[in-house]
C-alpha cells in the first residue's frame, strides 16, 4: 500500500508537467502565429503603399502639367482598394466602401495643405519646385526661412545659422561668420567628430549635421510631419514634442526646403527651346513658325538680341522659367546682378558674397584679404585684355557680352525672354516693342536665354504651387502681390497656368516686376514628393513611404525612397476621421 501511495503522486506530477509543457508550446505556437500574421500584415500594408506610389507615377506620366489631377484629388488618391477578400474584382482601384469588418487593403496619398490653419490635409503629392532649393538659395532667402522657424527664441541668432549652412555647402574653408568656427575645429571637437562637408547638401535632413540646426528648428513642433496641429503639439512641455502652447503649428524649415528642384531646359512639349543668342539666320528660321504672320516681331527679337551675348548678359542659369534665380548662384557660371541683388544677410563682419565658378556654392571674401586682392588683379588683367582688343563698330565680341552701337538695351541686358516686352533703343532711336502680353506665353515656353549646353536649371520656384513662406523668398514680390498670386492661381485652368505668363496676363504683377522675377520662377514641376500610406480598415497597422520621383519625360525615376513608418501615419484616412478632410 505504501508503494502505491508514492506512485500516484508521481504520476500526477508528471501529468502536470506535461500539461504545463503543452500549454507553453501552445502559447509559443500562438505567439509565432501572431508574429507571422503581423509580419504578413506589415508586408501587405507596405505593398499597398508601394501600389500608391506606382499609381502616382502612372498619373504623372499623363497628367504632370495638370496640377488639378495630382495636387488634391481624393477620388483618385484616397482610400483606393489594392486588394480585398472575396469581392468583385471591378472594385479594385476604386475607393468604394465595403461592409464593416470586410478585409481590404488600401492606400492614400497624403500631404499637408499649406492654405489651411493646421487643421486639414489634402490627398495629393508635393511639387519640389514649390520649395526653396537648399543648395541654390541666397543668404537673404535662407535668412527669411530660418528667422520664421526660430520664432521668438531670442537665444538663437538666425544669421549665425545661415552662415553655418552656407559654410557647410561651399567649397572653401573660410568661415562666413565671426561668431563661431563653422569650418574647422567646431565639428572636429564633437563626439563623435566629423568634418565639415564643403559640398552641396544631399538631403534636407543633412541640416541636422550643421552647427546650430536642431531638430526643433528643422521640424518645428510638427515631429510627425503631417501638417496638423494635434493635442500633443499644443500642450507645452506636458508631452513630446516641446512646443510653446500658442495654438499655432510651427513646422520649422523642413516643408519649405528641398535639394531636388531642377528642370530640363526644354519646352512643355519636350522640344529644345530656341536660344535667343544663337546664330542670326538660325534664330530667324526658328522664330518664324512661332510668330507666324508677325515678321515685325521676329525682326525685333533678332535685332535686339544681336546686341547681347548669351554668355554673360543672359547669364547661364537665368532666363525666365528656364533660368536660375536673380542674384542667386546658378549651377554654372557667375552670379548675375550686383551684390545687392544677390542679397545681403547678416554675416557678422564686413565682406561680400560671391559665386564660385566651379559650382553652385557661395563663398565669403573678407575686405582687404589676399583672395580679394588676387581677384581684383585678375579683373584688372581681364579689363586690360578687353581694352586691347580691336572690334569693328557695330560688332559684338561673343566672349564679352557687350552691347554694340547698333543695338542697345535701353532697359538693361536681356536676362529673360520677358525683357523683350520692354521698350528698347535700337540704333540710337527709342523703339517701343511689338512684343506684347499676347506673345509672352510663347516666349517663356519656347525661347530661352540659357545656353543650349546647359541641360538642367536648378532652384526655380513654381508660382503655381509654392506656399506663401516660399514666395516671400522672392524679394521683388510685395506682400500684396504674393496674396494676389495665391488668390488668382486657384481659379485658373491648367492651360492658363502652363507658363508664368499668367502673372502678367491676369494683371497679378506689373510687367517690370515680372521681368525682375522671371529668372527665379517657373510654372511647372519635374520632381515630386509622394507620401503614401498603406493600411486596412480591419487592422490598425499603417505603412508610410516617402518617395521623390524625377519625371524624365514620361518616365518617373525614383531619386529618394525612405520608409518613415517609425514617425507614425498620423493622417485622417478612415471614415471616422472625415473632420480633418477638406472637401473642395
Amino acid at each position: 500500500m505504501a508503494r502505491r501511495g508514492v506512485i500516484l503522486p508521481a504520476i500526477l506530477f508528471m501529468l502536470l508537467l506535461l500539461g504545463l509543457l503543452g500549454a507553453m508550446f501552445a502559447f509559443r505556437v500562438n505567439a509565432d502565429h501572431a508574429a507571422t500574421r503581423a509580419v504578413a500584415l506589415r508586408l501587405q500594408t507596405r505593398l499597398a503603399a508601394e501600389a500608391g506610389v506606382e499609381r502616382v507615377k502612372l498619373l504623372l506620366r499623363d497628367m504632370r502639367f495638370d496640377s488639378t489631377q495630382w495636387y488634391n484629388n481624393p477620388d483618385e488618391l484616397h482610400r483606393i482598394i489594392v486588394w480585398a477578400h472575396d469581392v468583385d474584382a471591378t472594385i479594385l482601384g476604386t475607393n468604394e466602401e465595403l461592409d464593416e469588418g470586410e478585409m481590404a487593403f488600401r492606400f492614400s496619398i497624403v500631404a499637408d495643405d499649406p492654405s489651411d490653419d493646421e487643421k486639414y490635409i489634402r490627398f495629393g503629392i508635393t511639387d519640389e519646385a514649390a520649395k526653396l532649393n537648399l543648395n541654390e538659395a541666397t543668404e537673404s532667402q535662407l535668412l527669411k526661412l530660418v528667422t520664421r522657424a526660430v520664432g521668438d527664441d531670442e537665444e538663437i541668432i538666425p544669421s549665425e545659422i545661415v552662415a553655418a549652412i552656407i559654410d557647410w555647402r561651399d567649397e572653401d574653408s573660410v568661415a562666413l561668420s565671426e561668431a563661431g568656427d563653422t569650418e574647422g575645429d567646431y565639428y572636429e571637437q564633437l563626439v563623435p567628430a566629423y568634418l565639415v562637408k564643403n559640398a552641396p547638401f544631399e538631403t534636407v535632413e543633412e541640416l541636422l549635421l550643421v552647427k546650430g540646426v536642431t531638430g526643433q528648428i528643422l521640424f518645428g513642433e510638427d515631429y510627425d510631419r503631417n501638417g496638423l496641429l494635434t493635442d500633443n503639439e499644443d500642450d507645452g512641455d506636458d508631452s513630446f514634442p516641446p512646443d510653446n502652447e500658442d495654438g499655432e503649428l510651427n513646422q520649422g524649415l523642413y516643408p519649405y526646403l528641398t535639394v531636388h528642384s531642377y528642370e530640363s531646359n526644354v519646352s512643355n512639349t519636350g522640344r529644345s527651346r530656341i536660344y535667343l543668342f544663337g546664330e542670326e539666320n538660325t534664330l530667324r528660321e526658328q522664330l518664324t513658325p512661332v510668330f507666324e504672320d508677325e515678321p515685325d516681331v521676329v525682326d525685333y527679337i533678332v535685332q535686339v538680341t544681336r546686341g547681347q551675348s548669351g554668355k554673360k548678359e543672359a547669364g547661364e542659369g537665368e532666363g525666365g522659367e528656364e533660368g536660375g534665380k536673380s542674384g542667386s548662384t546658378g549651377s554654372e557660371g557667375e552670379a548675375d546682378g550686383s551684390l545687392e541683388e544677390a542679397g545681403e544677410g547678416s554675416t557678422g563682419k564686413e565682406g561680400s558674397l560671391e559665386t564660385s565658378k566651379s559650382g553652385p556654392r557661395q563663398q565669403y571674401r573678407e575686405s582687404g584679404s589676399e583672395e580679394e586682392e588676387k581677384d581684383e588683379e585678375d579683373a584688372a588683367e581681364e579689363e586690360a585684355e578687353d581694352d586691347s582688343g580691336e572690334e569693328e563698330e557695330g560688332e559684338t565680341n561673343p566672349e564679352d557680352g557687350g552691347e554694340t552701337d547698333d543695338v542697345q538695351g535701353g532697359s538693361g541686358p536681356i536676362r529673360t525672354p520677358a525683357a523683350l516686352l520692354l521698350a528698347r533703343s535700337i540704333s540710337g532711336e527709342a523703339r517701343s516693342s511689338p512684343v506684347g502680353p499676347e506673345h509672352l506665353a510663347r516666349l517663356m515656353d519656347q525661347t530661352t536665354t540659357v545656353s543650349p549646353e546647359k541641360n538642367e536649371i536648378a532652384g526655380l520656384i513654381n508660382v503655381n504651387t509654392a506656399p506663401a513662406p516660399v514666395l516671400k523668398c522672392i524679394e521683388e514680390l510685395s506682400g500684396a502681390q504674393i496674396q494676389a498670386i495665391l488668390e488668382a492661381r486657384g481659379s485658373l485652368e491648367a492651360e492658363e497656368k502652363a507658363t508664368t505668363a499668367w502673372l502678367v496676363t491676369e494683371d497679378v504683377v506689373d510687367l517690370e516686376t515680372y521681368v525682375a522675377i522671371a529668372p527665379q520662377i517657373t510654372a511647372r514641376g519635374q520632381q515630386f514628393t509622394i507620401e503614401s500610406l498603406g493600411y486596412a480598415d480591419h487592422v490598425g497597422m499603417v505603412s508610410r513611404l516617402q518617395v521623390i520621383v524625377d519625371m524624365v519625360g514620361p518616365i518617373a525615376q525614383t531619386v529618394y525612397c525612405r520608409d518613415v513608418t517609425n514617425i507614425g501615419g498620423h493622417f485622417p484616412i478612415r471614415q471616422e476621421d472625415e473632420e480633418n478632410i477638406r472637401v473642395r
Side-chain angles (χ1 to χ4, degrees):
M1 294 295 296
R3 291 183 178 178
R4 290 180 182 178
V6 173
I7 293 174
L8 181 59
I11 293 175
L12 293 175
F13 181 72
M14 293 177 62
L15 291 175
L16 179 61
L17 289 177
L18 290 174
L20 290 174
L21 290 174
M24 293 174 60
F25 179 75
F27 281 123
R28 177 60 183 271
V29 169
N30 287 335
D32 289 345
H33 176 72
T36 302
R37 185 170 181 272
V39 170
L41 289 173
R42 172 65 69 195
L43 177 60
Q44 287 174 298
T45 57
R46 168 67 183 251
L47 292 175
E50 292 180 0
V53 173
E54 296 303 317
R55 177 68 184 91
V56 172
K57 289 181 179 180
L58 182 62
L59 186 65
L60 287 174
R61 188 183 70 178
D62 301 322
M63 302 291 184
R64 171 188 158 196
F65 296 104
D66 186 357
S67 60
T68 61
Q69 298 298 314
W70 49 258
Y71 186 77
N72 187 34
N73 188 356
D75 292 338
E76 295 290 334
L77 301 176
H78 177 45
R79 293 185 59 76
I80 304 303
I81 299 175
V82 177
W83 179 89
H85 176 68
D86 195 24
V87 297
D88 190 345
T90 58
I91 72 167
L92 300 180
T94 71
N95 56 3
E96 183 173 334
E97 295 300 332
L98 305 177
D99 295 336
E100 185 175 354
E102 194 77 35
M103 182 183 295
F105 288 89
R106 304 173 182 265
F107 71 78
S108 289
I109 307 300
V110 295
D112 175 36
D113 186 347
S115 65
D116 70 355
D117 51 357
E118 295 86 34
K119 291 183 179 179
Y120 302 102
I121 69 166
R122 57 187 174 86
F123 297 102
I125 59 179
T126 302
D127 177 15
E128 289 296 284
K131 306 174 183 179
L132 186 68
N133 192 303
L134 184 56
N135 291 319
E136 303 293 326
T138 64
E139 182 182 11
S140 59
Q141 289 175 326
L142 289 171
L143 188 61
K144 290 179 184 293
L145 290 183
V146 172
T147 301
R148 185 179 187 274
V150 170
D152 299 330
D153 193 336
E154 297 179 355
E155 296 181 359
I156 302 177
I157 303 176
S159 60
E160 294 183 2
I161 294 178
V162 172
I165 292 174
I166 294 176
D167 281 335
W168 181 271
R169 77 183 189 189
D170 67 17
E171 293 181 326
D172 63 35
S173 298
V174 180
L176 184 61
S177 173
E178 289 181 340
D181 182 8
T182 54
E183 284 282 1
D185 293 341
Y186 171 78
Y187 296 104
E188 295 175 3
Q189 293 174 359
L190 297 176
V191 180
Y194 52 91
L195 299 177
V196 63
K197 189 174 185 180
N198 285 337
F201 287 88
E202 296 179 52
T203 66
V204 175
E205 290 90 340
E206 190 180 322
L207 278 170
L208 293 173
L209 297 175
V210 176
K211 179 183 179 182
V213 180
T214 63
Q216 192 165 7
I217 292 176
L218 183 58
F219 302 116
E221 300 164 348
D222 191 28
Y223 270 63
D224 52 10
R225 307 183 205 174
N226 62 358
L228 300 175
L229 181 62
T230 53
D231 292 339
N232 65 305
E233 294 168 345
D234 192 32
D235 61 359
D237 296 330
D238 292 345
S239 61
F240 184 84
D243 59 79
N244 55 11
E245 204 173 358
D246 63 351
E248 297 181 1
L249 181 65
N250 179 357
Q251 293 183 267
L253 294 171
Y254 189 78
Y256 310 115
L257 293 175
T258 182
V259 296
H260 293 291
S261 62
Y262 52 89
E263 69 174 42
S264 301
N265 189 16
V266 296
S267 68
N268 286 340
T269 59
R271 296 182 178 180
S272 298
R273 284 172 166 150
I274 300 170
Y275 183 46
L276 291 177
F277 305 111
E279 196 274 328
E280 180 175 346
N281 292 334
T282 301
L283 176 61
R284 189 179 297 274
E285 181 181 346
Q286 292 174 328
L287 288 173
T288 299
V290 176
F291 302 100
E292 193 173 2
D293 300 326
E294 294 182 286
D296 58 328
V297 172
V298 175
D299 289 340
Y300 177 81
I301 295 175
V302 172
Q303 287 181 329
V304 171
T305 55
R306 291 314 86 202
Q308 306 281 337
S309 167
K311 185 171 183 179
K312 285 189 178 181
E313 292 293 334
E316 294 186 302
E318 289 191 0
E321 292 173 63
E322 59 280 313
K325 289 188 272 301
S326 174
S328 69
T329 56
S331 60
E332 295 180 16
E334 299 178 356
D336 298 294
S338 63
L339 172 62
E340 288 77 11
E341 293 174 334
E344 296 180 355
S346 175
T347 62
K349 60 182 176 182
E350 294 182 357
S352 62
L353 286 175
E354 65 175 355
T355 303
S356 169
K357 295 183 180 180
S358 58
R361 264 77 66 186
Q362 292 174 328
Q363 295 180 327
Y364 186 80
R365 185 180 64 189
E366 288 187 355
S367 299
S369 66
E370 294 180 0
E371 182 181 356
E372 181 179 5
E373 294 175 359
K374 184 178 183 302
D375 288 343
E376 291 176 351
E377 293 174 0
D378 293 342
E381 292 177 3
E382 291 179 2
E383 184 177 355
E385 292 175 1
D386 291 341
D387 292 339
S388 64
E390 296 181 358
E391 297 180 12
E392 296 183 8
E393 185 177 357
E395 292 185 356
T396 302
N397 183 348
E399 294 300 322
D400 61 24
E403 297 174 348
T404 69
D405 294 334
D406 293 333
V407 183
Q408 296 180 0
S411 301
I414 299 176
R415 295 190 173 96
T416 166
L420 293 169
L421 274 68
L422 300 175
R424 310 189 78 80
S425 175
I426 300 180
S427 298
E429 298 181 1
R431 177 178 173 183
S432 60
S433 174
V435 183
E438 68 274 15
H439 303 110
L440 188 56
R442 282 175 283 173
L443 276 174
M444 301 308 292
D445 180 39
Q446 300 185 48
T447 69
T448 181
T449 58
V450 177
S451 170
E453 297 177 356
K454 187 172 184 180
N455 298 322
E456 296 178 349
I457 305 99
L460 303 185
I461 296 175
N462 190 342
V463 292
N464 291 336
T465 56
V470 177
L471 291 175
K472 290 178 181 178
C473 294
I474 304 175
E475 298 181 359
E476 294 83 356
L477 288 177
S478 67
Q481 289 171 327
I482 291 173
Q483 186 60 35
I485 291 174
L486 296 175
E487 293 176 356
R489 69 189 187 187
S491 60
L492 299 177
E493 299 295 330
E495 292 183 359
E496 297 175 290
K497 298 187 293 183
T499 72
T500 59
W502 69 268
L503 294 175
V504 174
T505 58
E506 297 295 326
D507 295 324
V508 177
V509 300
D510 58 89
L511 181 58
E512 287 72 19
T513 299
Y514 179 77
V515 172
I517 68 173
Q520 309 175 54
I521 61 176
T522 182
R524 65 190 186 190
Q526 187 169 319
Q527 296 77 34
F528 301 89
T529 293
I530 306 168
E531 289 259 2
S532 182
L533 304 181
Y535 57 95
D537 291 338
H538 66 285
V539 293
M541 187 176 293
V542 178
S543 289
R544 181 178 176 184
L545 293 181
Q546 183 181 28
V547 177
I548 300 177
V549 296
D550 180 12
M551 297 301 299
V552 182
I555 307 301
Q557 297 183 350
T558 300
V559 296
Y560 178 90
C561 181
R562 183 181 178 189
D563 190 326
V564 291
T565 304
N566 60 315
I567 64 175
H570 304 297
F571 291 90
I573 52 178
R574 293 178 174 80
Q575 288 180 293
E576 58 268 24
D577 300 323
E578 291 294 324
E579 64 272 13
N580 291 110
I581 298 174
R582 173 176 289 179
V583 179
R584 294 179 181 267

